[in-house]
Amino acid sequence: MTQQLALDIHLRDDFSFDSYLTSSNQQLASALSTLHSDYPLYFWGEAGSGKTHLLHALLNQYVSQGKTVSLLSLDGDERPANKICEGLEQCSLICVDTVDAIVGDSSWQQALFHLLNRTKQNGTHVAISAHCSPQHLDVFADLQSRLAASLIFEQQVLNDDEKKTALQQRAKMRGLTLSDDVANYLVSRAQRDTHSLFSLLDRLDKFSMVKQRGLTVPLVKEVLFGVR
């Protein structure tokens, strides 16, 4: 896999379009899975709505096809922005995770603007996630205009019933049985965003294997609250 990545990125193998509960986001998931190069796809939603899942699903899809990909997180790298973006237009796909991070950073705004110009010339596919729409992104006018010309979707947050279904679907893919009672308990007692719920399911999976016990409400209480 590493030779197919433009940068040293770590993809979640369990994040796929099959493991994503599309529900009210069916059009978004479909547009991402059939991405084309005419314009970037920009989608936004609140924290925990599943943006990272969809980006990793898209990246995994391209990697499985032997294509080169790059994931820009826009933070945690001390190199100049223009150096990080240099040559990325040669990739088949560029994903920009949480583009809001460039607000207040003129060097990143300029670097991203010029990268988008090069991707348009090169026919590179681009997907961008954010917490707000392009119109509410506080960046310089030309970049905002370029982002606003994307194919834009607002990612809807799953309701409680959909979260339970998503948890049970994810558990099934891991070979686990998650009863309705346990799923209801998780959604009502744990942090309610999908990222936190999925992370908790990962912890429960590991804990149940160590304890050689099934996923039950008492086991969940033990993990959440230390109750035995």
Side-chain angles (χ1 to χ4, degrees):
M1 179 183 292
T2 53
Q3 72 271 21
Q4 295 163 346
L5 303 179
L7 297 176
D8 183 18
I9 60 177
H10 303 284
L11 299 181
R12 287 285 301 265
D13 292 337
D14 55 334
F15 282 179
S16 67
F17 290 111
D18 288 339
S19 65
Y20 181 76
L21 184 66
T22 54
S23 186
S24 53
N25 294 304
Q26 176 64 53
Q27 285 187 315
L28 167 59
S30 177
L32 279 169
S33 64
T34 57
L35 198 63
H36 52 80
S37 60
D38 291 345
Y39 34 73
L41 189 150
Y42 182 111
F43 65 104
W44 60 280
E46 64 183 66
S49 56
K51 295 185 292 295
T52 298
H53 185 131
L54 283 177
L55 285 182
H56 279 243
L58 181 61
L59 289 160
N60 280 322
Q61 176 177 283
Y62 275 63
V63 169
S64 71
Q65 297 168 356
K67 297 177 179 178
T68 55
V69 301
S70 178
L71 173 63
L72 286 177
S73 295
L74 306 181
D75 57 11
D77 195 323
E78 297 181 357
R79 292 177 297 161
N82 63 326
K83 292 296 184 183
I84 295 174
C85 293
E86 186 176 3
L88 293 186
E89 68 277 3
Q90 301 301 321
C91 294
S92 299
L93 168 69
I94 298 172
C95 288
V96 182
D97 193 8
T98 317
V99 73
D100 318 67
I102 67 174
V103 171
D105 190 330
S106 59
S107 63
W108 257 114
Q109 291 179 34
Q110 290 288 342
L112 182 59
F113 176 71
H114 292 302
L115 175 60
L116 290 176
N117 287 339
R118 298 195 302 272
T119 60
K120 186 175 180 63
Q121 295 170 357
N122 212 56
T124 306
H125 295 181
V126 179
I128 301 169
S129 74
H131 292 305
C132 66
S133 68
Q135 291 80 4
H136 291 92
L137 194 66
D138 188 13
V139 295
F140 73 88
D142 285 346
L143 176 57
Q144 187 178 61
S145 177
R146 177 56 53 84
L147 293 173
S150 305
L151 182 62
I152 300 172
F153 291 88
E154 180 180 2
Q155 188 173 18
Q156 303 299 317
V157 177
L158 300 181
N159 62 37
D160 285 353
D161 286 339
E162 291 168 336
K163 289 175 184 176
K164 287 183 282 188
T165 300
L167 279 169
Q168 290 176 317
Q169 176 178 297
R170 191 174 182 84
K172 184 177 181 180
M173 293 182 70
R174 287 172 165 267
L176 303 172
T177 299
L178 189 67
S179 68
D180 289 341
D181 286 345
V182 175
N184 285 329
Y185 188 87
L186 289 173
V187 171
S188 63
R189 298 300 181 90
Q191 287 183 267
R192 300 167 68 84
D193 65 276
T194 53
H195 176 75
S196 297
L197 287 170
F198 289 163
S199 295
L200 176 57
L201 183 62
D202 291 343
R203 288 170 55 200
L204 291 170
D205 183 13
K206 294 174 183 176
F207 189 76
S208 67
M209 289 180 64
V210 170
K211 296 294 185 179
Q212 293 293 297
R213 292 160 55 191
L215 295 182
T216 61
V217 171
L219 183 135
V220 173
K221 289 181 178 179
E222 193 170 338
V223 171
L224 284 177
F225 312 116
V227 177
R228 295 179 181 274

